[in-house]
Amino acid sequence: MRYHIHTYGCQMNVRDSEAVAALLEAAGHERAACEADAQLVLVNSCTVRDMAERKAVGKCGNLIAAKEGRGRRAEGSSVRIVGLMGCAVKRLGQDVFKALPHLDFAVGPRRFGAIPHLVERCLAGETRILELPDDDEVPAGLDAHPDASRGGASFQSHVTVLLGCDNRCSYCIVPDVRGHEYSRPAREIVAEVRALALRGVKEVCLLGQSVLRYGMRTKAWTDADAPSPGGFTEPFPRLLEALSAIDGLMRIRFTSAHPKGCTDELLRAYRELPKVCRHLHLPVQSGSDRLLAEMGRRYTRAEYLDAVRRLRGFDPEFSVTTDVIVGYPGETEEDFEATRSLMDEAGFDNAFIFKYSPRPGTRSAELPDDVPAAEKERRDQVLLADQEVRGQSRNERLVGTVREVLAEGPSIRNAARWSGRDSGNRIVVFAPPPGISPGDAVRVRITDAHPQVLVGEVDCMEALKE
Ligand code: 5AD
Ligand code: SF4
């Protein structure tokens, strides 16, 4: 069948969708040119905020209507099977069929490996199938990657290294839907990245909810896997060292991080392993010690700022990005101002701001959601405006420098230009030299700065750090 996957949410979901695409292709299905042309449509859902879940469920509802010949999209639609996967399925359980009575199948996050089989069952006439993973389940197909020649992964790939999360921050539903923390064996990850590099992948992004906890709860190493005697001893830096040794691989990124993981060994890895990108996504959530304690974040404002200071200590251009929640229950003007000032002190290169949304079953859902919607909106706008100014001034400091950029392709805004990213994950736009291909390394001299984009001219094309 021709399939299409519509993905909501974080990079974990993006990665799971890629794995599902590979599994479907291995089972003989083919990627549809577009959604309207697909016979099998999957929606990969997110539930981290109420709005995210509504979008995914709403999308599924529209697809089912089209399948049944109703709604705007009905005409010309070839959809025969609609499936919902991902986080919202685990949260909703059986209730998914209350929201979507005619859904063909629903499958939770750690069970996506079952999808090709579920498609077979639907083709045989079954409907309303529900598959919920256990909290400790290890999915089948974790290392499946689609074939680049069929429009799949290009020179960049995501690689899941850590599943689930046991942190239990008060507001967060992720541990309920993505289950317990589990580190994949290092041997498996190294083999996966080696295979990707052989297929031309130059940049990998290692994924985990709290990726620096890799190897802490589950033993991920055997002595035979150790990369080098006298090398790194902490599990995550050790994984970075092992991956750094892979030929052809140029860059290693990872996300997301918790300040507790910013150890001396991690800093040593940044310093000693040139393939490790100088960027860390370090969600702070709030700048108020009172709220950080209520959220159960296990760090103070001072500890967080210290982690940022240490990262920038050896490289002032080190890029730090973050997530912030505004309107957490009981967030006062004073708490909010503490977040504002923390953001200034940290000098974030980029920030994602989220309006608090109570999630059923989390600790904070017991508290009154007492910051009015209009006030959440105001705080959101204030932080966004602050970040525009901050992004501009941080980027202006880079004017005149030469950035090593991996070219991605024509820029979205202006197809005559190309864009790519530097080691700090900053978007860099430049006039493409003749013959450039995605994945080529270029050196770009920065001439102009915007809050979220750098503009420059290509110095010369040459291979980076090999
Ligand atoms: N409400 C608003 N934002 C949330 N996040 C997680 N849970 C919630 C919630 N209940 C945000 C956090 C996290 C990001 C992925 O989503 O900032 O880092
Ligand atoms: Fe949620 Fe905390 Fe886990 Fe991040 S670390 S996913 S905020 S529980």
Side-chain angles (χ1 to χ4, degrees):
M1 293 183 102
R2 296 186 305 275
Y3 74 88
H4 179 82
I5 308 177
H6 201 90
T7 306
Y8 293 93
C10 66
Q11 282 162 305
M12 291 275 183
N13 267 14
V14 172
R15 170 64 198 126
D16 289 352
S17 291
E18 278 172 11
V20 170
L23 296 173
L24 287 171
E25 285 171 24
H29 302 284
E30 55 183 308
R31 191 179 292 249
C34 61
E35 187 187 293
D37 183 46
Q39 298 158 306
L40 162 66
V41 185
L42 290 172
V43 176
N44 195 355
S45 60
C46 169
T47 186
V48 77
R49 287 169 295 279
D50 183 49
M51 203 46 158
E53 184 177 299
R54 279 173 199 270
K55 278 190 193 157
V57 171
K59 175 79 190 168
C60 237
N62 292 343
L63 288 162
I64 293 168
K67 173 186 154 179
E68 294 176 343
R70 299 180 282 113
R72 278 194 296 131
R73 298 271 167 83
E75 202 158 322
S77 162
S78 34
V79 60
R80 287 170 55 199
I81 298 177
V82 178
L84 183 65
M85 58 184 278
C87 299
V89 174
K90 176 80 175 180
R91 191 190 83 74
L92 287 163
Q94 273 295 341
D95 286 351
V96 73
F97 297 118
K98 281 194 196 144
L100 300 164
H102 296 166
L103 183 65
D104 291 304
F105 67 84
V107 49
R110 283 164 92 144
R111 186 71 63 88
F112 61 77
I115 289 178
H117 182 57
L118 298 180
V119 172
E120 292 304 315
R121 285 171 58 186
C122 290
L123 285 172
E126 273 186 80
T127 182
R128 290 167 61 104
I129 309 169
L130 177 63
E131 291 271 342
L132 293 178
D134 297 333
D135 281 343
D136 288 306
E137 195 157 318
V138 180
L142 261 180
D143 60 354
H145 287 267
D147 197 336
S149 62
R150 291 192 240 170
S154 60
F155 67 93
Q156 293 165 316
S157 270
H158 293 110
V159 173
T160 303
V161 302
L162 187 91
L163 306 170
C165 183
D166 289 331
N167 276 345
R168 297 258 160 218
C169 304
S170 64
Y171 51 84
C172 187
I173 198 166
V174 167
D176 291 333
V177 293
R178 286 215 169 243
H180 289 307
E181 184 179 302
Y182 167 81
S183 300
R184 290 177 64 201
R187 197 189 282 261
E188 238 176 80
I189 298 166
V190 172
E192 181 174 335
V193 176
R194 209 174 267 145
L196 288 169
L198 282 174
R199 281 163 51 170
V201 168
K202 294 184 175 169
E203 177 176 318
V204 290
C205 182
L206 311 177
L207 300 178
Q209 291 298 337
S210 195
V211 70
L212 303 180
R213 278 194 50 82
Y214 176 77
M216 306 287 252
R217 177 175 179 259
T218 343
K219 192 172 181 319
W221 290 91
T222 64
D223 286 342
D225 294 323
S228 70
F232 294 90
T233 53
E234 284 179 9
F236 189 70
R238 220 196 288 190
L239 180 66
L240 294 176
E241 185 186 16
L243 297 178
S244 283
I246 295 175
D247 285 342
L249 188 70
M250 288 166 75
R251 281 182 172 175
I252 304 167
R253 300 188 185 281
F254 44 87
T255 196
S256 279
H258 185 281
K260 277 227 181 327
C262 294
T263 58
D264 289 343
E265 278 260 295
L266 182 76
L267 291 171
R268 180 156 80 93
Y270 275 121
R271 254 195 315 268
E272 293 182 8
L273 304 173
K275 293 183 183 181
V276 175
C277 290
R278 297 204 165 172
H279 167 228
L280 194 60
H281 186 64
L282 199 59
V284 65
Q285 315 300 1
S286 171
S288 149
D289 277 334
R290 187 183 72 83
L291 286 192
L292 287 172
E294 284 210 11
M295 289 174 169
R297 292 291 295 171
R298 299 176 301 116
Y299 54 80
T300 60
R301 170 193 177 96
E303 284 164 342
Y304 181 92
L305 285 169
D306 187 54
V308 175
R309 215 166 287 128
R310 292 188 317 127
L311 291 168
R312 297 240 176 87
F314 74 93
D315 179 0
E317 290 177 2
F318 193 103
S319 162
V320 184
T321 57
T322 202
D323 291 341
V324 170
I325 298 177
V326 289
Y328 184 82
E331 186 186 64
T332 61
E333 190 59 26
E334 196 183 341
D335 294 319
F336 172 67
E337 285 300 328
T339 298
R340 266 188 101 178
S341 70
L342 174 132
M343 291 180 76
D344 248 359
E345 280 179 51
F348 292 120
D349 292 273
N350 204 352
F352 300 90
I353 321 291
F354 300 104
K355 288 180 265 188
Y356 173 73
S357 161
R359 306 308 289 133
T362 59
R363 268 182 293 130
S364 68
E366 312 278 305
L367 304 169
D369 180 14
D370 56 0
V371 178
E375 181 58 17
K376 283 183 188 165
E377 178 62 28
R378 187 192 70 85
R379 292 178 187 180
D380 184 27
Q381 292 302 325
V382 169
L383 296 188
L384 285 174
D386 284 358
Q387 187 57 41
E388 281 283 296
V389 176
R390 185 178 307 119
Q392 177 73 34
S393 77
R394 283 206 59 82
N395 280 347
E396 271 168 13
R397 293 166 29 161
L398 301 175
V399 171
T401 63
V402 174
R403 322 294 310 159
E404 293 173 326
V405 173
L406 278 195
E408 289 176 9
S411 131
I412 305 171
R413 291 231 183 115
N414 176 355
R417 296 196 164 207
W418 272 45
S419 73
R421 282 170 195 268
D422 76 351
S423 165
N425 212 32
R426 303 176 186 92
I427 299 171
V428 181
V429 174
F430 54 90
I436 193 171
S437 320
D440 283 346
V442 287
R443 293 169 61 79
V444 180
R445 184 174 297 280
I446 303 305
T447 53
D448 213 354
H450 300 280
Q452 309 233 18
V453 177
L454 295 167
V455 181
E457 285 158 9
V458 173
D459 248 22
C460 59
M461 215 187 305
E462 62 176 65
L464 280 181
K465 308 170 189 161
E466 273 204 77

